[in-house]
Amino acid sequence: MPTPTYEYIGSATSTGASSILQVSSIPNTYKHLRVIMMLRSSDSRNGGQSVAVWFNGNQSAAYSKLEMYGSGTTIGSYGQYGGGAIEASCFMNGSRSGVYMMNDWWILDYKATDKYKSTFMRVGGFADTNNGASSLITGLWNNTSAINQITIQEGGSLAFVAGSSLTVWGIAG
Amino acid sequence: MTPILGILDSAKTGNLVTSSFEFISTTTVSGGSPAAIVFSSIPQTYSHLMILGVCHHTGGVAGATGQGDYKFRMGNGSVDTGSNYYQQMFYGTTQNSQVSFQNSGDYFPGSSGWYQSGNLGGNYYNPQYYMIYNYTVASRPKSFEYKNGYAPAVASGNTSVDFRTGYWNNTSQAVNIISLESYGSDGYFANGTTFSLYGVK
């Protein structure tokens, strides 16, 4: 019987009533984490909305990211430093019906207590005839604690629509 | 509506569902400054390989921040140091997004954290991701994908996030050895640098 290498840890799925999704009690038994979020906001506008992501309940000014993106016919990149969360993304509810923003994260060496936590993520989706986004992002939590909880919040504190989800897997190593 | 049903190929496994993503090996730097991290005797029983890790480099100029390259190579029996590595790179910095490419290099350049001093410390590590596709198919050049990034806690002109694809131009051998080599003259992989190898069926 092969040793389990890629295991489901937990998930949270929106019922349409809350702006926050959270997975807690992440065990200390893996090497890396993979996190997939499928997100859509109840905000009635068309376009993208930010999503705050933080670890272990910590919202101090300890998060940074660098994002390279393509949107429509525009490319660019930018950094954010010393924020209270790493910024992910979701589509707003005025975007094409039923399209959820994909956020696919890898969190490397998440339990090492001698390292700041580094991540990279692919984010994107296409929500309208002129409204898509594809990004590659590297993120940092400037903290040496092992990650045991992941929380996300819709950027405008509006609810995620029903079916929005946060799922976490553990990768052995 | 007729549902689309998935079918388990249970005949292959005696009715057991096998794991399709398996851990092969991990190397973590501890108590030394190795010039290379090597995965050898890689099993030939998967379709693809994945490498995940975090990386830190001991080099760097005092007061500087940034990242340095290391040499990613592969081979069969021994590592190929010939001019057989090709890559296309797409990367973003705080200023802009850029592209570059490499023909006939004698290695593929991975990027390691290079945080010896300045406003960054030894707790920073670059995330590392490789996928090596169809590594057992000797007749094809071996394609791979690489992603890494570097976002320090404070603004720095040296930040970057990279997406690269490339291939090892060998059409006679499968891959059974992979090495990640420091330049040496610029420093070495620091303690805590760790790479894990996985097989994907």
Side-chain angles (χ1 to χ4, degrees), chain B residues 32-110:
Chain B
S33 298
I37 293 172
V38 179
F39 295 106
S40 58
S41 302
I42 296 171
Q44 300 296 295
T45 51
Y46 304 100
S47 293
H48 316 294
L49 298 173
M50 176 184 278
I51 297 174
L52 296 174
V54 294
C55 189
H56 182 116
H57 198 253
T58 62
V61 178
T65 61
Q67 58 183 359
D69 287 346
Y70 62 85
K71 301 174 182 179
F72 175 85
R73 290 170 165 149
M74 55 188 84
N76 186 290
S78 61
V79 173
D80 181 11
T81 59
S83 300
N84 296 313
Y85 298 89
Y86 296 71
Q87 68 144 331
Q88 173 68 55
M89 178 177 177
F90 177 34
Y91 65 100
T93 71
T94 51
Q95 289 84 38
N96 52 39
S97 297
Q98 300 181 47
V99 294
S100 66
F101 69 97
Q102 165 187 284
N103 279 329
S104 304
D106 63 4
Y107 63 88
F108 170 80

Side-chain angles (χ1 to χ4, degrees), chain B residues 22-187:
Chain B
E22 293 182 351
F23 169 65
I24 297 173
S25 177
T26 287
T27 296
T28 301
V29 176
S30 176
S33 298
I37 293 172
V38 179
F39 295 106
S40 58
S41 302
I42 296 171
Q44 300 296 295
T45 51
Y46 304 100
S47 293
H48 316 294
L49 298 173
M50 176 184 278
I51 297 174
L52 296 174
V54 294
C55 189
H56 182 116
H57 198 253
T58 62
V61 178
T65 61
Q67 58 183 359
D69 287 346
Y70 62 85
K71 301 174 182 179
F72 175 85
R73 290 170 165 149
M74 55 188 84
N76 186 290
S78 61
V79 173
D80 181 11
T81 59
S83 300
N84 296 313
Y85 298 89
Y86 296 71
Q87 68 144 331
Q88 173 68 55
M89 178 177 177
F90 177 34
Y91 65 100
T93 71
T94 51
Q95 289 84 38
N96 52 39
S97 297
Q98 300 181 47
V99 294
S100 66
F101 69 97
Q102 165 187 284
N103 279 329
S104 304
D106 63 4
Y107 63 88
F108 170 80
S111 291
S112 58
W114 202 19
Y115 312 115
Q116 189 175 30
S117 54
N119 54 6
L120 301 176
N123 297 115
Y124 288 86
Y125 289 78
N126 271 26
Q128 306 282 311
Y129 173 102
Y130 289 91
M131 278 292 293
I132 301 106
Y133 300 95
N134 290 139
Y135 72 105
T136 62
V137 182
S139 60
R140 297 180 196 166
K142 264 56 82 179
S143 298
F144 56 86
E145 170 191 0
Y146 173 68
K147 292 192 280 282
N148 101 100
Y150 162 40
V154 295
S156 165
N158 291 319
T159 57
S160 71
V161 57
D162 302 347
F163 172 56
R164 311 181 196 187
T165 57
Y167 64 92
W168 174 45
N169 191 26
N170 181 298
T171 56
S172 62
Q173 295 174 307
V175 175
N176 65 11
I177 186 169
I178 293 172
S179 74
L180 306 102
E181 305 168 40
S182 294
Y183 282 141
S185 58
D186 289 336

Side-chain angles (χ1 to χ4, degrees), chain A residues 50-74:
Chain A
S50 65
V51 174
V53 183
W54 64 91
F55 305 119
N56 297 6
N58 182 316
Q59 292 183 272
S60 64
Y63 298 86
S64 302
K65 81 164 189 178
L66 180 66
E67 176 168 355
M68 174 174 63
Y69 65 91
S71 180
T73 58
T74 301

Side-chain angles (χ1 to χ4, degrees), chain A residues 1-6 31-32 34 62-69 75-82 106 108-109 113-120 122 136-140 142 144 171-173, chain B residues 16 18-19 21-23 26 28 50 52-54 90-97 122-129 147 149-156 159-163 192-194 196 198:
Chain A
M1 191 74 176
T3 302
T5 302
Y6 191 116
K31 182 75 169 176
H32 310 295
R34 188 175 194 181
Y63 298 86
S64 302
K65 81 164 189 178
L66 180 66
E67 176 168 355
M68 174 174 63
Y69 65 91
I75 65 170
S77 58
Y78 68 99
Q80 295 177 332
Y81 304 96
W106 294 84
L108 290 313
D109 224 0
T113 55
D114 58 349
K115 298 169 185 171
Y116 301 144
K117 303 306 172 299
S118 57
T119 73
F120 65 81
R122 291 173 287 124
L136 179 66
I137 302 169
T138 185
L140 171 80
N142 190 20
T144 57
I171 312 294
Chain B
L16 290 175
T18 59
S19 173
F21 184 92
E22 293 182 351
F23 169 65
T26 287
T28 301
M50 176 184 278
L52 296 174
V54 294
F90 177 34
Y91 65 100
T93 71
T94 51
Q95 289 84 38
N96 52 39
S97 297
N123 297 115
Y124 288 86
Y125 289 78
N126 271 26
Q128 306 282 311
Y129 173 102
K147 292 192 280 282
Y150 162 40
V154 295
S156 165
T159 57
S160 71
V161 57
D162 302 347
F163 172 56
T193 292
T194 182
S196 298
Y198 302 90

